[in-house]
Amino acid sequence: MGTKQPPRNKSLHATDKCPAIREVLNRVGDKWSVQIVGLLGDGAMRFSELRRSIEGISQRMLTLTLRGLERDGLIERTVFPEIPPRVEYELTRLGKTLLVPIRGLARWAGDNRTAIQAAREKFDADAKKRA
């Protein structure tokens, strides 16, 4: 008949959980959130420090991403009563737990970047031959 497929991981594919999982992954998986969480893993930072540290992020996108991370309980925003007011962002206890998978993913990317580049080059060369 055909080859038998291995069983799916039902905990990842349960239809009642998919929207919730997708929503969380959309937040923690976007490129700006990952970079912000990674930077805040070294300690609290001010908005301007974050902006200078993240190449290509606009002020508006940084603001929106910080608000989303704060809303999700991953970072905490502290306003210091100074003139001018000083605002710092830092990871919450929940946010710190996100460092483990982010650092693991960064390690995986570093370990596999040459293999990925080689696969891209082969794919592109094969596509060029077919065209």
Side-chain angles (χ1 to χ4, degrees):
M1 287 243 167
T3 59
K4 189 173 182 180
Q5 294 292 321
R8 287 181 177 228
N9 182 338
K10 292 185 193 284
S11 66
L12 292 178
H13 297 286
T15 55
D16 61 325
K17 293 180 183 178
C18 282
I21 292 170
R22 184 173 47 249
E23 184 180 328
V24 171
L25 290 176
N26 284 341
R27 162 64 54 219
V28 301
D30 76 77
K31 69 179 180 177
W32 303 125
S33 294
V34 168
Q35 289 182 61
I36 290 168
V37 170
L39 286 167
L40 294 178
D42 294 330
M45 294 179 77
R46 296 177 71 170
F47 183 94
S48 58
E49 292 174 298
L50 286 165
R51 177 119 190 259
R52 280 193 302 272
S53 300
I54 304 171
E55 186 178 329
I57 194 167
S58 67
Q59 182 170 331
R60 176 169 164 64
M61 184 53 66
L62 179 56
T63 299
L64 291 173
T65 305
L66 288 168
R67 281 188 189 145
L69 290 168
E70 184 179 11
R71 180 175 181 250
D72 290 345
L74 299 172
I75 66 169
E76 183 175 61
R77 179 180 186 264
T78 304
V79 180
F80 294 91
E82 302 171 356
I83 298 176
R86 179 170 51 103
V87 179
E88 286 187 348
Y89 298 88
E90 63 184 321
L91 294 177
T92 62
R93 187 183 323 207
L94 179 62
K96 288 176 183 173
T97 67
L98 187 55
L99 287 171
V100 174
I102 284 176
R103 288 179 175 156
L105 185 57
R107 235 182 345 272
W108 179 89
D111 292 347
N112 293 287
R113 70 182 188 282
T114 54
I116 291 169
Q117 185 59 39
R120 287 177 179 170
E121 289 169 4
K122 181 183 180 317
F123 181 92
D124 293 346
D126 291 347
K128 213 176 218 182
K129 288 177 191 174
R130 287 189 298 269

